[in-house]
Amino acid sequence: MRLSDLLGAEVVDEHGRAVGKVHDVRLEQAGPEQADLGPGLRVEGLIVGRPALGARFGFGRGVQGPWLLRLVFGSLGHDGHDVAWHRIRSIRDRRIRIAGTADDLPTPQPSGD
Amino acid sequence: MRKLLEIALGILTAIGGFVDIGDLVASTETGARFGLGLAWVLLVGVVGIVIYAEMAGRVASVSGRAVFDLVRERLGAGAGLLNLAASFFITLLTLAAEIGGVALSLQLATSVNYLLFVPVVGFLVWLVCWRVRFELMDNAVGLLGLALIVVAVAVWRAHPDWGAMLHSATHPVVPTTESHAAYWYFAIALLGSAMTPYEVFFFSSGAVEQRWTRSDLLVNRLNVYIGFPLGGLLALALMVAAALVLEPLGIDPSHLSQAALPTSLVLGRLGLALALLGFFACTFGASLETALSCGYSIAQYFGWQWGKFVKPAQAPRFQLAVLVSIALGVGLVLTTLDPVQITEYAIVLSAAALPLTYLPLLIVANDPAYLGGKVNSRLSNAIASLFLVVLVLASVATIPLMIASKAGGG
Amino acid sequence: MARRLDAALELLDRQLVDKDGRLAGKVDDLELTDPGDGLEQPRVTAILTGPDALAGRLHTRFGRWLQGVVLRLLARQGPARVPLEQVQAIGSSIELRVAAGRLDTGQGWARRLIGRLPGAGEGDAAQ
């Protein structure tokens, strides 16, 4: 499987209602923290919903100015959800079904490292 | 002492390398049709390119990465690809225009039809990109381009009424023979000739080619703050020369020869020879820059090894991209489309595409992950943002003005 | 606390740099293990790079067709892979443990073409 198979996939809840599209995949180190990636990387969960435009530009992670651009692009408001991997019930043809509904999903926190 | 020489060389190269076929055509044409009424646009353009070139050089020196390299990271693969497509197309068009300009300069010097020179010029451009060391290439064409100073000398020797000229430059008036749409259309064209997208790619990639680091930031600033405005003065000289000689005669310059006319009238054969040398050097130098920029932007989008600082076999896809771009440019000129026409389209489209290049650059120049403590100051951010707004407005107005003024003809 | 990163934001479209500072392509896609019927957490096994990997991100018929064309042109079975074990560090660029010459970066065809021209520097030492 490839990462691109997950990105853009449609996520639906247990009732078949649309939750959103996958716009990012959160990875975690599979073992204790190390300088390199000895233990490897694995998928922790999916980030579903509309991404914040400013995030890509770095406005949430250190980019301060110029204020004009921050005004235009910097809305870090994110109407989306974190879907932990264990919630997934099935993946088929770029359609991912999860347990529970959209309401009991947390909003994404920045991965912050 | 050696450092001083290095700085002087850099500044001189920046001056001589500023003018390209776009400036030649735009400055001469606007001078002939509008007198000094659009001189202010040249000033605006020079300020703009100085600000953004300094940023591009700084990003490359501190992060070791060229601007287009970072475009895909910041815009994503999709938007980055659109940006690449637009930038590449326009730079390719400019490359064709420059090759045409070289061929036309040779035609003026030898009276041999320019089309015969085109393939030869293309081959020479490729050969220099392939084998000649970056600094040598950059310095040689830059210094030769200083021959254009003869145009400024010609203006001086023509003893114009400086007071009247200053007045018409500071009180721009649209001549009765021109429409307002044409005035603003040419304003955009002139802006695009001074602030070209390829300049940013070339300047930042060049900084990486020459292995600039933090300690070169001062040299970078001197080159840009002193060299570019002086280079802009040469473009202004072309405009003034056209305003003094071509405008009163009602000559609408559609041939490159008319750009050399004022100088040859005032300074005779020697003046003409130097002017042609200057034209040749500027357009040849710009051909090299645009050819390399075509290669830089493609290679940097895909992440391939690029640059002349490695042997060609170490950067094969980059070298192929340069080769193919030159071939396409040569092909375009060989369709017998008038090179001056190609130039006009190239600079107008350049102006329209400027926000695509400058927006990512402005964002990157503010990112401490790439620049550490050397991010933009509030002042430069303020000016740069203002410019971006102006550029977006110009970009949006381009097509309507092109239609309203019938591409400057109406 | 184990390190976390958002793949699309921090890994995808980043520059791959080898141990000598040579550029080795961009992260165009990631190869993951198949979750299977048990829906196990997929592990990242390799970084995929090259125009065909990039085309694979377009989940449209056009994208698949493009991918096929590129693979056929380059006479490859699949995209160029950089196994995850070769990754030294993930920062603003992805640093690799090995030299680019030891990796499959998909530039062989171009190298053969360009290498034929005089002065290409083919056959010179050190990658």
Side-chain angles (χ1 to χ4, degrees), chain B residues 97-410:
Chain B
E98 307 288 353
I99 292 179
V102 181
L104 282 178
S105 309
L106 290 171
Q107 174 178 291
L108 287 177
T110 63
S111 301
V112 173
N113 187 284
Y114 81 99
L115 287 171
L116 293 173
F117 284 114
V118 172
V120 179
V121 172
F123 176 71
L124 277 174
V125 170
W126 173 75
L127 199 61
V128 174
C129 288
W130 177 257
R131 275 315 269 183
V132 178
R133 222 164 35 91
F134 191 91
E135 281 97 336
L136 178 61
M137 172 192 90
D138 204 29
N139 291 334
V141 288
L143 291 177
L144 273 178
L146 288 173
L148 268 189
I149 293 180
V150 72
V151 179
V153 172
V155 167
W156 185 264
R157 289 282 293 263
H159 302 299
D161 182 348
W162 295 105
M165 275 186 2
L166 189 62
H167 186 268
S168 66
T170 48
H171 298 82
V173 146
V174 181
T176 46
T177 46
E178 301 285 353
S179 67
H180 276 75
Y183 179 83
W184 288 108
Y185 178 75
F186 274 100
I188 292 182
L190 198 56
L191 191 65
S193 75
M195 296 177 80
T196 51
Y198 79 81
E199 191 57 51
V200 165
F201 304 149
F202 182 77
F203 202 70
S204 65
S205 304
V208 176
E209 292 265 23
Q210 294 176 278
R211 308 296 210 199
W212 282 6
T213 60
R214 261 167 221 266
S215 52
D216 295 298
L217 281 178
L218 180 63
V219 175
N220 170 42
R221 290 207 170 116
L222 287 174
N223 282 357
V224 171
Y225 289 158
I226 302 180
F228 281 24
L230 288 178
L233 269 183
L234 288 182
L236 183 63
L238 283 163
M239 185 189 281
V240 173
L244 288 176
V245 176
L246 302 178
E247 196 201 8
L249 298 174
I251 295 179
D252 181 355
S254 50
H255 292 118
L256 194 62
S257 55
Q258 282 142 353
L261 188 61
T263 308
S264 77
L265 279 179
V266 178
L267 294 176
R269 269 232 169 91
L270 181 61
L272 179 63
L274 283 174
L276 290 182
L277 177 64
F279 288 4
F280 172 81
C282 288
T283 48
F284 191 78
S287 304
L288 297 170
E289 291 187 18
T290 43
L292 287 171
S293 299
C294 282
Y296 290 145
S297 48
I298 294 182
Q300 287 166 11
Y301 174 83
F302 285 107
W304 303 332
Q305 178 64 53
W306 54 270
K308 287 164 61 56
F309 59 92
V310 292
K311 290 230 170 5
Q314 309 283 324
R317 289 177 288 193
F318 161 72
Q319 290 289 348
L320 258 181
V322 171
L323 184 79
V324 170
S325 304
I326 295 175
L328 288 173
V330 165
L332 185 56
V333 185
L334 286 178
T335 59
T336 72
L337 265 168
D338 180 10
V340 173
Q341 276 278 303
I342 299 178
T343 304
E344 285 173 5
Y345 280 113
I347 54 183
V348 170
L349 290 176
S350 286
L354 283 171
L356 283 180
T357 315
Y358 287 10
L359 175 65
L361 173 54
L362 183 56
I363 292 174
V364 166
N366 274 285
D367 196 333
Y370 298 123
L371 292 182
K374 298 287 181 190
V375 290
N376 279 2
S377 66
R378 292 183 78 125
L379 180 62
S380 31
N381 266 344
I383 307 179
S385 305
L386 187 62
F387 257 97
L388 200 57
V389 171
V390 170
L391 291 177
V392 169
L393 289 173
S395 179
V396 165
T398 302
I399 305 293
L401 279 175
M402 194 187 262
I403 297 175
S405 68
K406 299 192 201 62

Side-chain angles (χ1 to χ4, degrees), chain A residues 26-112:
Chain A
R26 186 151 287 171
L27 305 173
E28 63 179 359
Q29 272 182 263
E33 180 174 4
Q34 285 177 22
D36 55 34
L37 293 171
L41 280 174
R42 66 173 174 226
V43 175
E44 182 207 54
L46 309 173
I47 304 183
V48 180
R50 257 199 337 217
L53 190 58
R56 183 146 210 135
F57 290 167
F59 281 113
R61 290 170 295 130
V63 177
Q64 292 299 315
W67 70 260
L68 181 67
L69 291 187
R70 198 152 48 129
L71 204 68
V72 174
F73 294 113
S75 58
L76 293 178
H78 188 307
D79 60 346
H81 309 278
D82 259 342
V83 176
W85 185 265
H86 62 80
R87 278 189 164 240
I88 297 179
R89 288 294 164 260
S90 77
I91 304 178
R92 197 167 313 164
D93 285 340
R94 293 177 57 73
R95 234 174 104 88
I96 301 176
R97 185 170 271 249
I98 61 170
T101 64
D103 303 315
D104 43 38
L105 291 172
T107 48
Q109 302 301 313
S111 63

Side-chain angles (χ1 to χ4, degrees), chain B residues 69 72 130-131 303 305 311 313, chain C residues 13 23 25-26 28 118-120 124:
Chain B
D69 197 347
R72 184 169 154 188
W130 177 257
R131 275 315 269 183
Q305 178 64 53
K311 290 230 170 5
Chain C
D13 301 314
L23 306 177
K26 300 260 178 176
D28 291 313
D124 282 11

